[in-house]
Amino acid sequence: MERVVGAPFHSLSRAVDMLCLNLGAEVERHFELPKPDGRDRRVPSWSIHLQTPWRFVHSGRTALASGDMYAPFAPDQVGEGWEYDLAGRPAVESSRFDVLSPGLSRQMAGSTVTACRISPLGDLELEFSNGVRFESFTADSLKCEVWRLVDYLTGEQLVTLEK
């Protein structure tokens, strides 16, 4: 994970309830899917994929956290059947994550990773040059995947398991 120290923040995204914390310059990669011929895409150098609890902390406050994916931005504006995993809705019908993450991404623009720590349990902490800290927590006692680093430069994936 030391390879991400010095990497610029690229973007935040999600795939259903998985956070994609994207770092580094864009690179062109060929993906075999969708078949039959695949396609070329511009992607960040690295993407950290997490489905464990996580949060971004700035100035002693939580700026964005994993629970924001499951909470409506405007709870009084959505009905009982609200679903967290639908993207592309108006803000009042979207999740807190979908509404707040673009602002955090703008705040993170131009920052770089200044430190990376991984605990013996697989918890991950990244510090950024703008004072924002990213923290993830192992939330399972079973030996399972905690998070993974997708390295688009080499095509490798570093999977971190709870120990």
Side-chain angles (χ1 to χ4, degrees):
M1 279 297 291
E2 289 303 315
R3 63 185 100 179
V4 302
V5 173
F9 173 84
H10 182 277
S11 59
L12 292 175
S13 60
R14 71 175 176 111
V16 187
D17 64 350
M18 179 178 68
L19 175 70
C20 301
L21 173 53
N22 304 308
L23 304 169
E26 286 190 351
V27 296
E28 183 125 347
R29 292 278 300 167
H30 181 75
F31 293 87
E32 297 300 321
L33 297 173
K35 291 185 177 181
D37 299 323
R39 63 183 171 147
D40 291 338
R41 286 184 48 210
R42 296 198 57 77
V43 295
S45 299
W46 301 282
S47 186
I48 302 171
H49 295 176
L50 304 104
Q51 285 183 286
T52 59
W54 54 265
R55 66 181 171 216
F56 287 89
V57 178
H58 188 251
S59 300
R61 296 183 53 231
T62 301
L64 188 68
S66 52
D68 292 329
M69 286 188 188
Y70 308 104
F73 179 72
D76 56 336
Q77 300 292 315
V78 297
E80 206 173 291
W82 183 81
E83 297 179 38
Y84 74 92
D85 58 345
L86 301 177
R89 298 179 283 194
V92 296
E93 298 173 9
S94 295
S95 72
R96 288 182 50 78
F97 176 88
D98 292 336
V99 173
L100 299 175
S101 62
L104 180 60
S105 288
R106 285 189 298 276
Q107 179 184 351
M108 298 292 295
S111 67
T112 58
V113 177
T114 58
C116 173
R117 288 180 283 287
I118 302 170
S119 79
L121 297 177
D123 299 340
L124 173 65
E125 184 177 308
L126 299 175
E127 291 185 20
F128 290 88
S129 59
N130 64 350
V132 172
R133 186 175 65 251
F134 173 80
E135 304 169 338
S136 75
F137 310 91
T138 302
D140 204 318
S141 61
L142 299 173
K143 187 172 184 148
C144 59
E145 182 174 330
V146 178
W147 51 268
R148 74 175 49 209
L149 173 70
V150 179
D151 186 333
Y152 290 111
L153 297 171
T154 65
E156 299 173 323
Q157 294 190 26
L158 169 68
V159 178
T160 301
L161 300 173
E162 189 281 323
K163 298 178 180 179

